[in-house]
Amino acid sequence: MGCGASSQKDAVGGPRRRSGSVGDVVVFLPGLRVPRSVDFAQALGGRLDSGIVERLSALRARVVEMAMQESAAALKPRRKTAARHGSSTANLLQALEDYLPVLLGLVKEGSLFRHAVQFTWTNQEDKAEETTMADAWYEVLSVLHLMAMVCLLQANALLLPRSYGDGYAPRVSEESRRATVDVFLKAAGYLDCAIRHVLTQLPPELRRQLPVDLAEGNLKALSLQALGQGVDMQLGLAIDSPKATLAVKRRLACEMVKYWQQVQESIPELPVSDGWGKKHRLFIKWKYVEAKAAAYYFHGLILDEGNTEKAHGMAIAALQASEEFLKESKRVSEAFHSTPPTSRSPTPFGTAKYLADKIPKDASSKVRINQDLYTQEKSLSCGICRVIGTPPPLPDFALALTPEDYDLPPLDPLWNKDDRRQ
């Protein structure tokens, strides 16, 4: 059997010591887990073909070096161009994809080497917070988790405003927003694979020793978070499209609410003393409330197209609810960015910018118009006043966005020959 060892703080979810700033944040991820060096030659030398040992050593050393560089860069509060950051994260993702087919040979059916190597990973926020396990499936799980986190770093870089040298202010292009949808789906796919095909390989006692980053609830929450932000990008693109109807926008907004609600239900209990845990929960709350503001806004506009006093009253209630949720989302956003490690909010774009511009104007104008209308008809007291303050229920739509299909890759051809030393 494999064994696990982790610091007491990690095992109980104690506070992480790192503070400071992490710069501009559009896509939040609770830190990177970085692999520590492993001596494959000492653990496997004389027992496994030297070519495989050398290949494992070279590929993992590359991953360690690049992950440490990315981790150090991610913690610096400086601005990085999307192209520059995208290149470094793409290289790390490729290194992980190259390593995985060779690593999987250690866990293939009948392998004698699954428990032969002690794998250690460290949380970037606290070098004392590391977990070591002598189980190659733990290494596979950690690799898939890092692949997903790298995708979220890529998405964050793509969604930072860039200058295009055309005389206009820095902005997030439509191309970047479309690209991030695919990146979010890829991240969700890696996490979904980790949950369905890797976690189940670990015995219950080892699963209980996993750090909170790799807990099933956290993996599921991060996968849903990626899907929720993917729908956010789709909604922003629909808002910009003259062909998208109000019904399409409402559906996307309502789906976004459901994703973030599921995130809240999935994420494990994180200690409030942990700055990163508190920050993660604030991010989820912020996006959940912001999604509600969008959903009630578009729902209110559709209800207002009705011809009855009741429909108009329900529209006003929905629009007023959207305005209150928008105000709350701003408060939670400020709390999120001010919670250590502090972060900055880039210039709003897409859904967030649209809502900030439209909700206050439309909510007040619709209320005024309908009040004037029904006051003239002397119907205000028996109609609208009864529904204001009680927003109508949101429509329930099936979730359309799903993780990208991802399966563990086939074994590297090196493993096709007899890998054991006789």
Side-chain angles (χ1 to χ4, degrees):
M1 291 297 294
C3 60
S6 59
S7 70
Q8 183 178 10
K9 287 187 301 179
D10 184 73
V12 300
R16 296 174 180 173
R17 297 176 307 203
R18 185 94 189 190
S19 57
S21 173
V22 291
D24 297 329
V25 172
V26 181
V27 181
F28 179 76
L29 61 152
L32 294 179
R33 299 183 69 250
V34 179
R36 309 291 278 180
S37 297
V38 167
D39 190 342
F40 284 108
Q42 182 179 16
L44 301 172
R47 303 170 57 195
L48 186 62
D49 180 81
S50 60
I52 297 178
V53 174
E54 291 171 2
R55 182 71 171 154
L56 278 169
S57 300
L59 290 173
R60 196 175 192 279
R62 181 175 173 228
V63 168
V64 170
E65 180 183 5
M66 297 180 71
M68 291 180 67
Q69 292 174 352
E70 193 60 44
S71 173
L75 286 172
K76 291 181 180 179
R78 60 187 175 87
R79 298 174 185 268
K80 297 175 67 176
T81 66
R84 182 178 174 184
H85 198 180
S87 174
S88 64
T89 52
N91 291 337
L92 174 54
L93 189 58
Q94 185 61 56
L96 290 163
E97 290 175 348
D98 292 343
Y99 173 50
L100 195 53
V102 185
L103 169 64
L104 286 170
L106 297 178
V107 296
K108 69 177 182 177
E109 186 176 355
S111 172
L112 302 177
F113 309 110
R114 171 177 170 177
H115 305 295
V117 183
Q118 294 270 353
F119 293 102
T120 301
W121 287 68
T122 303
N123 190 286
Q124 75 177 102
E125 287 81 46
D126 189 346
K127 287 183 169 55
E129 202 170 298
E130 63 181 33
T131 306
T132 300
M133 291 186 178
D135 193 321
W137 278 117
Y138 165 65
E139 176 81 347
V140 175
L141 179 62
S142 298
V143 166
L144 287 174
H145 178 267
L146 182 54
M147 290 167 71
M149 296 304 99
V150 169
C151 287
L152 296 184
L153 281 175
Q154 288 179 332
N156 190 69
L158 284 168
L159 296 176
L160 296 181
R162 296 177 59 187
S163 176
Y164 291 87
D166 53 6
Y168 292 95
R171 63 189 183 276
V172 180
S173 69
E174 179 180 324
E175 180 183 11
S176 292
R177 286 185 283 161
R178 290 189 184 280
T180 57
V181 176
D182 293 332
V183 176
F184 283 130
L185 296 184
K186 181 182 289 188
Y190 291 144
L191 294 165
D192 187 58
C193 176
I195 295 168
R196 292 185 296 109
H197 300 303
V198 181
L199 264 182
T200 53
Q201 301 292 336
L202 293 171
E205 60 269 24
L206 250 63
R207 292 181 66 170
R208 286 192 291 269
Q209 296 180 50
L210 290 172
V212 67
D213 308 78
L214 301 183
E216 182 175 358
N218 202 44
L219 296 176
K220 185 177 180 181
L222 286 170
S223 176
L224 290 165
Q225 176 180 319
L227 296 177
Q229 293 205 264
V231 176
D232 190 355
M233 294 303 106
Q234 290 182 326
L235 176 57
L237 292 167
I239 287 171
D240 291 344
S241 172
K243 296 181 181 180
T245 64
L246 273 179
V248 168
K249 297 170 190 174
R250 181 178 66 174
R251 181 187 181 99
L252 289 170
C254 289
E255 288 183 32
M256 191 161 58
V257 171
K258 289 183 69 173
Y259 280 118
W260 287 107
Q261 182 177 3
Q262 290 184 18
V263 173
Q264 287 192 317
E265 295 169 353
S266 299
I267 196 166
E269 288 297 323
L270 299 176
V272 294
S273 59
D274 182 340
W276 283 80
K278 181 179 180 181
K279 197 172 182 72
H280 195 182
R281 284 201 169 276
L282 283 170
F283 182 79
I284 293 168
K285 182 178 180 181
W286 166 27
K287 291 300 175 182
Y288 181 44
V289 174
E290 187 176 72
K292 282 187 171 182
Y296 276 109
Y297 173 70
F298 290 114
H299 190 38
L301 293 184
I302 288 178
L303 289 172
D304 195 55
E305 293 178 343
N307 297 320
T308 66
E309 179 183 340
K310 180 180 179 181
H312 291 159
M314 293 173 67
I316 290 176
L319 291 169
Q320 288 181 329
S322 74
E323 189 170 25
E324 290 305 310
F325 283 124
L326 180 64
K327 292 176 182 177
E328 185 182 356
S329 74
K330 290 178 180 178
R331 291 192 294 268
V332 180
S333 171
E334 291 171 357
F336 164 77
H337 287 296
S338 63
T339 296
T342 60
S343 51
R344 294 187 300 261
S345 177
T347 304
F349 67 93
T351 305
K353 184 178 185 305
Y354 181 84
L355 296 178
D357 292 341
K358 298 290 288 184
I359 288 178
K361 297 177 183 177
D362 285 354
S364 60
S365 66
K366 295 292 184 183
V367 169
R368 186 175 62 253
I369 291 171
N370 283 289
Q371 283 183 340
D372 289 345
L373 173 62
Y374 292 110
T375 297
Q376 291 173 6
E377 296 179 2
K378 298 181 180 180
S379 304
L380 182 61
S381 61
C382 63
I384 296 176
C385 288
R386 284 203 303 269
V387 294
I388 290 178
T390 305
L394 293 171
D396 185 18
F397 296 106
L399 297 176
L401 212 57
T402 57
E404 179 179 284
D405 288 335
Y406 178 80
D407 295 315
L408 292 173
L411 294 184
D412 187 282
L414 277 173
W415 289 98
N416 291 340
K417 58 182 178 179
D418 186 7
D419 48 68
R420 285 173 290 177
R421 285 287 182 90
Q422 303 297 327

